[in-house]
Amino acid sequence: MREAKTITILSNGTKRELNVNTVLYILMKKNYAEIHTFSGKHYKTRITLNELEKDLGDSFLKVSRGCLVSVMAIHDISNVIELTTGESLPYSVRNRNAVVAQLQEKQKLIISRFSEGRIPEEEEAYHAHYRCFDDLPIAFADIEMVFDDERRAVDWIFRYGNQALALLEKIPLEKLIGSTFSNLFPNMNDKWLRAYEQAALYGATLEIVDFSPEIDTYLRILCFPTFRGHCGCILSDVSQIHYTRTSREAPEALMHYFGKLLESN
């Protein structure tokens, strides 16, 4: 899992400490660096790209003379650098092969540091590992990501699921387990892959609230790393979620939660 490393910068006269894991990309503009974060905020600071490259470490890729990008944020490299946030960054396309090769090396390095338990080899072993989830009324799945040669997630395989998952997906559990998502749902939307690959490759824990055209349902999904190349998913039908006020602090906590959601957009 990625280390909780921080960097200290001076922006608008204020000293700020940024968690490296929150940095999306950096653009150089003359003698200043514009640091963009996953939350959408950006900070301008006087520093060289070489200094930032050293401070940020090998979880960042230099895609051009004036741009560093978080390896975790790169979804694809085509005519532009496509990010998991939906943004894109320009780069010199003639250097594509070199940039892709560097990205793959950095991905391998990050993955090699990913602490993990032994991956189960058979369906029975997965079931034994997750037996405590069997009777939960909340849908849970462990999925193994399928990657192409450039380490982009292209599909996933259901390795474990409970009955609540089968009800949510509207598919019998015996048909779900061991099947790829694309085989079960030919109308598969690849938007899910961006978040799941971050959990499976880099140890990110993410919340997704989005519409699933595959099952015609609005979902809330919490995804997190389990084994190497896998992620766990807790799924809820948004229409079935009921919020309850348990104390005087509850409304404030709820506003803070929704504020975080709006900030991420």
Side-chain angles (χ1 to χ4, degrees):
M1 197 171 293
R2 301 207 304 169
E3 298 176 358
K5 182 180 178 182
T6 61
I7 58 170
T8 303
I9 63 168
L10 186 66
S11 180
N12 292 328
T14 303
K15 203 173 192 179
R16 301 180 183 275
E17 193 171 85
L18 298 181
N19 187 319
V20 170
N21 294 350
T22 67
V23 177
L24 181 62
Y25 61 88
I26 298 100
L27 293 176
M28 292 302 300
K29 296 188 175 179
K30 295 186 178 179
N31 296 326
Y32 287 87
E34 198 171 75
I35 302 174
H36 294 251
T37 66
F38 279 92
S39 67
K41 294 181 179 178
H42 63 273
Y43 305 94
K44 191 176 181 181
T45 185
R46 192 179 180 89
I47 192 172
T48 68
L49 195 68
N50 286 339
E51 289 177 290
L52 275 171
E53 194 171 12
K54 182 179 178 181
D55 291 342
L56 291 169
D58 50 27
S59 58
F60 282 75
L61 178 66
K62 189 175 182 180
V63 298
S64 69
R65 186 176 298 178
C67 182
L68 281 173
V69 185
S70 168
V71 171
M72 179 180 172
I74 298 175
H75 175 65
D76 194 14
I77 299 177
S78 54
N79 292 333
V80 292
I81 306 292
E82 297 178 22
L83 305 182
T84 57
T85 58
E87 297 175 72
S88 62
L89 297 170
Y91 79 111
S92 179
V93 179
R94 67 187 178 195
N95 295 328
R96 182 180 184 278
N97 290 341
V99 173
V100 168
Q102 291 177 51
L103 174 63
Q104 291 174 344
E105 286 303 312
K106 286 181 177 288
Q107 286 176 328
K108 289 176 184 176
L109 184 60
I110 294 171
I111 294 167
S112 69
R113 298 172 180 164
F114 201 161
S115 60
E116 58 175 86
R118 183 178 177 184
I119 301 175
E121 296 179 0
E122 299 177 351
E123 183 180 324
E124 292 78 8
Y126 280 103
H127 192 191
H129 184 79
Y130 290 115
R131 193 175 300 279
C132 62
F133 290 91
D134 284 355
D135 297 322
L136 281 181
I138 301 170
F140 173 77
D142 182 291
I143 60 177
E144 178 182 359
M145 304 306 298
V146 178
F147 299 97
D148 63 15
D149 292 338
E150 295 185 355
R151 301 301 296 174
R152 293 175 302 185
V154 293
D155 207 343
W156 68 83
I157 303 169
F158 287 98
R159 292 304 185 192
Y160 170 83
N162 58 11
Q163 285 297 333
L165 177 73
L167 289 173
L168 184 65
E169 302 285 3
K170 303 178 180 70
I171 293 177
L173 195 55
E174 58 271 19
K175 187 176 179 181
L176 273 174
I177 305 305
S179 298
T180 62
F181 191 77
S182 62
N183 281 340
L184 295 170
F185 299 98
N187 64 330
M188 171 185 178
N189 192 312
D190 64 4
K191 63 185 177 183
W192 311 111
L193 294 169
R194 294 185 172 185
Y196 295 165
E197 69 185 358
Q198 288 187 57
L201 287 178
Y202 311 117
T205 296
L206 301 170
E207 182 180 35
I208 311 163
V209 180
D210 209 331
F211 178 70
S212 170
E214 298 90 352
I215 57 174
D216 192 28
T217 303
Y218 288 95
L219 293 176
R220 174 182 179 269
I221 305 171
L222 183 66
C223 62
F224 50 90
T226 52
F227 304 104
R228 179 175 294 175
H230 291 234
C231 76
C233 298
I234 297 173
L235 306 93
S236 303
D237 180 340
V238 170
S239 68
Q240 300 301 313
I241 298 176
H242 302 286
Y243 293 98
T244 181
R245 179 173 173 172
T246 56
S247 70
R248 286 181 298 178
E249 293 80 19
E252 182 180 349
L254 194 59
M255 290 301 294
H256 178 72
Y257 171 72
F258 285 126
K260 292 291 289 184
L261 288 180
L262 291 173
E263 183 182 275
S264 67
N265 291 327

